[in-house]
Amino acid sequence: MPLNRRDLLRSAAVAGALGAVWPLSAQLSPAQALEAAQALGASYDPAPFTLGVASGDPLQHSVSLWTRLAPEPLADEQQLPDAVPVRWVVATDRELRRKVASGTVAATAAQGHSVHVDVHGLEPGRRYYYAFSALGRTSRLGRTRTAPARHVDRVRFATANCQHFAHGYYTALRGIAHEDVDFVIHLGDYIYENGTYSGTPRDHEGPAVFDLVSYRRRHALYKGDPDLRAAHAAHPWYLTWDNHEVQGYYDGRDDAAFLARRDAAYQAWYEHMPHRMVGSDPVPQQQIYRRRNWGDLLDLTVLDLRQYRNRADRADSTILGAKQRDWLLDQARSARGWHCWANSIMLSKLDNPGGDYYYDMQWDGYRAERTEVLSELHGLGVEDFVVVTGDWHSAFVDDIRPDFENPDSPVIGTEFTAHSVTSDSYGPEWNAARGPEIGRLNPHLQYFEGDRYGYDVHEVTARRWTTEMRVIADRLDPAARVTTLTKFHVDRGRVGAYEDKRTATSPAQYRRPAADRP
């Protein structure tokens, strides 16, 4: 008998909580489990490669490939041997006939039957195709690209963040899948740890997650979005995390129960991401901050602003941690081309009408360290500095100053904070009312728009950085169209003097008059 969403929720109510009906495999047949997933708004690739494929962290001669064997993606345990051999192949053609690398790796139960392959010996700046096979089945085809080695005329990439599964459909990620980009940067809040919702087009599969089994299940639910899988299969990704990969606002917590939860979350994150391990740090205490170059054009620094921070109210407060801060400044000394930070939370000051900051959980809570690091960058002569940021569920464009408290502090860069993929904004009334206030109180703010959902596309040449804000008409409509809201041009050597070319008709909540710009 078919199991619809109402039946599933009724069963949960009888059990006392939705989580009580999981693992699905214990109560439901495979067909019923599939229907239950569909009732939540998820759909999957054919087993065992239900969660798709992905590639990430491209270097000049190497790229990291990922998949996970999950015949029953929302089950607590996969009915698989402890170790399953998985064959992988990389080729220069879609038919995988012109093979350049191949091998076999074990997918083990200890790592959730995930597969991570660092493929070496590839040519710089080249597109490749790949696939996996196991248990008599072959995965979907993936496409990836290596970083160029020397001079490059152009790089084009997308940024995305904050993709709450229950808040809408991933139309923005479908847009990214079809973009002509070299890579994608995900800026955090890939999953949300909360429990179930009501009145939304799709839902979480159970209560808030706390342990490795439930974090695995939550990641598997998110991978149940076909547009997310398509975006992963289309392009290599660089990734960082924010707070909801673990839980909301966990600054400085070090109690045993939380650390166990964090370790479980970090391990599940690694098991579901095309992430290349750095150094010898074990899962889950992994280093994710790193520096990557796209030829001589783009110097990309990926930051970790969650793992090493302490509480903002401490005298020695730090968001980077001493090791990452020293590393960051050391990397800046050898920066070349455009210097870009992939930054999960807003770097720029955001003052509010009450005379304080909107959120101390972002860089505003760590003002002394922010001033120290940005002043050091300025002193090193770092030019053409751009920061791409997530977290706020709204779009901002800010001038970056070493000391935001000093109106005479020079402009040293530009920050682009992107819309969320689906996660709730503060609403049109709040945005429309606060936009002018935010602009008045924050003279470095050049643009604010908070009623849309989408992603950004950045095109970089030796002369100009162009950012296009892509938005969708309705996150609750899976067939919504992607449109360009506005474009920003930043000319190299003219930090702070940019051009805003608006391409959509609806006004921003705030846009600083051109006469007031530097």
Side-chain angles (χ1 to χ4, degrees):
M1 175 177 166
L3 183 70
N4 60 33
R5 179 178 174 79
R6 181 176 298 174
D7 295 333
L8 179 66
L9 296 178
R10 185 182 298 117
S11 299
V14 171
L18 184 58
V21 304
W22 307 97
L24 286 176
S25 58
Q27 283 83 13
L28 307 176
S29 70
Q32 287 178 319
L34 178 59
E35 290 183 34
Q38 292 172 338
L40 294 166
S43 63
Y44 293 95
D45 286 5
F49 299 103
T50 52
L51 309 185
V53 301
S55 68
D57 203 23
L59 302 175
Q60 294 174 8
H61 300 283
S62 175
V63 70
S64 182
L65 305 182
W66 170 90
T67 191
R68 180 186 168 215
L69 305 183
E72 297 182 53
L74 297 184
D76 281 2
E77 294 183 7
Q78 300 300 318
Q79 301 304 306
L80 293 170
D82 285 346
V84 179
V86 179
R87 179 79 174 168
W88 58 270
V89 60
V90 177
T92 58
D93 64 312
R94 290 180 174 275
E95 292 73 27
L96 303 180
R97 292 172 183 163
R98 297 193 294 272
K99 291 189 290 187
V100 297
S102 61
T104 301
V105 63
T108 66
Q111 295 295 321
H113 291 99
S114 63
V115 175
H116 294 82
V117 179
D118 284 343
V119 184
H120 295 275
L122 303 178
E123 295 182 18
R126 179 150 191 180
R127 175 169 288 171
Y128 291 96
Y129 300 88
Y130 64 94
F132 298 90
S133 57
L135 304 173
R137 302 293 180 88
T138 300
S139 72
R140 70 157 66 198
L141 184 71
R143 184 180 68 175
T144 190
R145 182 186 294 274
T146 51
R150 298 182 179 86
H151 176 70
V152 59
D153 293 324
R154 185 192 80 155
V155 59
R156 186 175 170 85
F157 66 95
T159 56
N161 68 97
C162 301
Q163 52 191 40
H164 201 301
F165 188 85
H167 287 182
Y169 296 102
Y170 291 168
T171 309
L173 297 177
R174 186 176 72 234
I176 287 177
H178 290 94
E179 291 280 357
D180 176 20
V181 294
D182 297 298
F183 57 85
V184 177
I185 303 176
H186 199 284
L187 295 164
D189 289 345
Y190 189 101
I191 66 164
Y192 283 73
E193 83 287 3
N194 331 84
T196 56
Y197 283 71
S198 61
T200 56
R202 56 188 192 178
D203 206 352
H204 282 160
E205 85 297 345
V209 293
F210 288 91
D211 57 18
L212 180 56
V213 168
S214 57
Y215 276 109
R216 283 173 174 167
R217 199 171 60 230
R218 183 59 52 85
H219 274 280
L221 174 71
Y222 276 58
K223 286 292 201 302
D225 186 283
D227 293 327
L228 175 58
R229 295 198 306 279
H232 271 300
H235 314 293
W237 287 36
Y238 296 105
L239 297 122
T240 188
W241 50 39
D242 196 19
N243 56 335
H244 287 289
E245 281 84 357
V246 181
Q247 71 171 56
Y249 312 131
Y250 58 87
D251 300 7
R253 286 193 58 181
D254 59 1
D255 55 283
F258 167 74
L259 292 178
R261 183 183 191 183
R262 189 192 68 176
D263 286 353
Y266 283 177
Q267 177 162 338
W269 183 89
Y270 172 72
E271 291 175 354
H272 290 83
M273 300 298 157
H275 174 69
R276 183 196 309 271
M277 295 294 288
V278 177
S280 59
D281 288 346
V283 176
Q285 290 84 25
Q286 55 201 292
Q287 176 183 317
I288 68 167
Y289 66 83
R290 55 209 180 275
R291 177 186 178 186
R292 298 292 182 252
N293 295 107
W294 205 261
D296 59 355
L297 183 59
L298 182 69
D299 190 282
L300 176 65
T301 300
V302 181
L303 297 178
D304 178 354
L305 300 179
R306 287 294 171 182
Q307 186 168 191
Y308 309 108
R309 66 164 62 189
N310 57 22
R311 291 183 59 87
D313 56 5
R314 289 176 47 161
D316 61 344
S317 64
T318 177
I319 195 171
L320 293 165
K323 182 179 178 182
Q324 183 177 198
R325 182 175 61 247
D326 292 345
W327 169 88
L328 176 63
L329 294 174
D330 185 60
Q331 300 304 308
R333 291 183 178 94
S334 58
R336 57 178 182 168
W338 290 89
H339 186 53
C340 177
W341 286 3
N343 178 66
S344 60
I345 55 174
M346 187 177 288
L347 174 68
S348 301
K349 173 186 173 181
L350 189 60
D351 207 350
N352 73 27
D356 204 344
Y357 301 99
Y358 272 103
Y359 294 114
D360 277 351
M361 284 75 75
Q362 53 196 37
W363 280 87
D364 275 341
Y366 303 86
R367 299 185 285 279
E369 185 172 48
R370 176 174 64 189
T371 300
E372 174 191 352
V373 170
L374 293 179
S375 297
E376 183 78 11
L377 285 181
H378 181 52
L380 290 171
V382 173
E383 297 179 340
D384 307 314
F385 177 42
V386 175
V387 177
V388 292
T389 296
D391 181 62
W392 237 92
H393 308 179
S394 299
F396 296 79
V397 180
D398 285 283
D399 292 333
I400 300 172
R401 300 176 183 271
D403 184 358
F404 286 99
E405 311 302 328
N406 179 5
D408 296 324
S409 185
V411 176
I412 65 169
T414 301
E415 180 175 27
F416 293 104
T417 300
H419 295 89
S420 66
V421 170
T422 59
S423 303
D424 280 340
S425 74
Y426 288 88
E429 296 81 10
W430 189 96
N431 286 308
R434 294 298 179 93
E437 284 185 313
I438 292 174
R440 179 178 58 83
L441 292 167
N442 297 277
H444 51 280
L445 176 66
Q446 303 299 325
Y447 178 93
F448 166 69
E449 203 288 322
D451 289 349
R452 306 297 187 94
Y453 301 89
Y455 61 99
D456 286 354
V457 174
H458 310 271
E459 182 172 306
V460 185
T461 68
R463 186 177 71 86
R464 172 170 282 187
W465 180 297
T466 300
T467 293
E468 302 183 23
M469 294 181 180
R470 302 273 204 263
V471 294
I472 58 174
D474 184 359
R475 62 180 168 154
L476 303 182
D477 178 6
R481 294 177 60 249
V482 176
T483 59
T484 300
L485 179 66
T486 190
K487 295 182 182 180
F488 295 90
H489 297 307
V490 181
D491 286 343
R492 194 164 184 179
R494 298 180 65 234
V495 171
Y498 61 82
E499 181 183 9
D500 170 8
K501 290 207 167 192
R502 195 153 184 81
T503 59
T505 56
S506 83
Q509 271 75 50
Y510 180 77
R511 181 169 55 171
R512 189 169 298 282
D516 294 346
R517 294 177 184 164

